């Protein structure tokens, strides 16, 4: 599966989620403060927030990038993703509120800033996490079915190495390891794995082998 396509899916849904959360938050705040009438059209609301439609999503994508969220798009845990998304949403929303306070964007405030903060945080976290968990779940299932794999190099050629190899390939739920070969120890290429995996070389050449074979594990 193409990594760029997988990354694009995360980027697209994160971008759309950030826009949607901000529009909904903005509409709610303006309606509460009666800055717009009940008959104001949606295009008019979009005109009012103008540059926010680009700046707010760009801000969130940059924040996700800085925290390494897009680094490995095929190996994500739904549990860790929940915690990571919540933490970034919490910090990111806090930064936004400080930025708006400095720029005097008063529409976000009530008698207390806690209410608006919690609403924006909840909106952003929910709309961001739901598409993410769907993408991650579908990807995880594909890894377990062997449709997505990670180039794996087995170090060693002993009986124990053979046992590890056999155990991994016989798992009911695939781990995603796509074995591309093994490297032997002490220049010994005659071993228990020779009939099952290509012999890629010796331990002293491991750096070159990893680069050449694009080894991930």
């Amino acid at each position: 599966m193409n990594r760029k396509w997988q990354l694009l899916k995360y980027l697209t849904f994160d971008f759309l989620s950030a826009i949607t959360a901000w529009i909904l938050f903005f509409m709610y705040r303006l309606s509460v403060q009666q800055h717009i009438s009940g008959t104001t059209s949606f295009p008019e609301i979009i005109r009012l927030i103008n540059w926010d439609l680009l700046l707010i999503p760009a801000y969130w994508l940059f924040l996700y990038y800085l925290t390494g969220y897009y680094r490995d798009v095929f190996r994500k845990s739904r549990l860790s993703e929940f915690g990571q998304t919540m933490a970034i949403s919490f910090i990111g929303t806090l930064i936004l509120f400080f930025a708006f306070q400095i720029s005097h964007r008063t529409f976000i405030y009530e008698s207390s800033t806690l209410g608006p903060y919690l609403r924006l945080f909840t909106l952003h976290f929910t709309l961001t996490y739901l598409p993410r968990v769907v993408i991650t779940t579908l990807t995880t299932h594909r890894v377990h079915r062997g449709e997505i794999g990670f180039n794996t190099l087995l170090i060693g050629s002993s009986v124990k190495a053979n046992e590890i190899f056999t155990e991994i390939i016989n798992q009911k739920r695939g781990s995603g390891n796509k074995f591309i070969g093994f490297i032997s120890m002490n220049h010994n290429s005659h071993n228990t794995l020779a009939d099952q995996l290509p012999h890629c070389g010796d331990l002293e050449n491991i750096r070159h082998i990893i680069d050449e074979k694009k080894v991930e594990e």
Side-chain angles (χ1 to χ4, degrees):
M1 186 176 184
N2 190 289
R3 292 178 184 275
K4 291 182 179 179
W5 171 243
Q6 182 77 351
L7 175 60
L8 181 62
K9 287 193 289 186
Y10 280 111
L11 288 170
T12 301
F13 280 102
D14 283 349
F15 188 90
L16 294 176
S17 297
I19 289 179
T20 304
W22 188 249
I23 291 175
L24 292 176
F25 174 73
F26 188 88
M27 291 173 64
Y28 174 81
R29 292 301 306 131
L30 292 182
S31 64
V32 167
Q33 296 184 359
Q34 298 181 347
H35 286 178
I36 59 174
S37 66
T39 58
T40 303
S41 65
F42 184 74
E44 177 65 13
I45 294 173
I46 298 300
R47 187 190 66 79
L48 289 172
I49 57 178
N50 49 61
W51 286 105
D52 289 357
L53 292 177
L54 289 177
L55 295 177
I56 295 298
Y59 158 77
W60 283 108
L61 294 184
F62 181 66
L63 195 59
Y64 299 142
Y65 170 78
L66 286 181
T67 55
Y69 179 78
Y70 302 122
R71 189 170 298 140
D72 199 342
V73 292
F74 284 135
R75 307 192 206 212
K76 292 187 177 296
S77 161
R78 283 162 289 188
L79 182 60
S80 63
E81 190 165 58
F82 177 87
Q84 186 179 16
T85 304
M86 177 172 287
I88 298 175
S89 297
F90 178 86
I91 295 171
T93 305
L94 195 62
I95 293 173
L96 277 179
F97 269 66
F98 276 117
F100 288 136
Q101 186 175 19
I102 294 173
S103 63
H104 306 291
R105 294 284 290 275
T106 57
F107 71 85
I108 65 173
Y109 299 111
E110 295 175 358
S111 57
S112 170
T113 59
L114 181 60
Y117 174 86
L118 290 178
R119 276 188 284 273
L120 179 57
F121 165 76
T122 302
L123 276 171
H124 183 83
F125 168 75
T126 303
L127 294 176
T128 301
Y129 179 68
L130 289 179
R132 284 182 172 185
V133 75
V134 171
I135 296 172
T136 299
T137 299
L138 294 176
T139 302
T140 301
H141 289 330
R142 296 192 65 184
V143 171
H144 291 329
R145 291 196 300 265
E147 297 174 12
I148 298 175
F150 315 108
N151 288 350
T152 304
L153 180 67
L154 189 59
I155 300 177
S157 54
S158 63
V159 174
K160 182 62 176 177
N162 197 355
E163 291 176 354
I164 293 174
F165 170 71
T166 303
E167 179 182 349
I168 291 177
I169 63 174
N170 289 331
Q171 289 176 331
K172 290 183 179 180
R173 299 177 64 188
S175 58
N177 294 108
K178 178 184 176 182
F179 287 94
I180 51 91
F182 71 95
I183 58 176
S184 57
M185 313 292 288
N186 302 321
H187 303 280
N188 177 23
S189 62
H190 302 289
N191 47 69
T192 59
L193 285 170
D195 296 332
Q196 303 182 71
L197 288 173
H199 178 232
C200 297
D202 302 310
L203 186 60
E204 62 188 24
N205 300 317
I206 186 171
R207 185 177 296 277
H208 171 73
I209 295 168
I210 288 174
D211 293 338
E212 180 184 20
K213 303 291 185 179
K214 295 181 173 59
V215 174
E216 298 173 84
E217 289 195 3

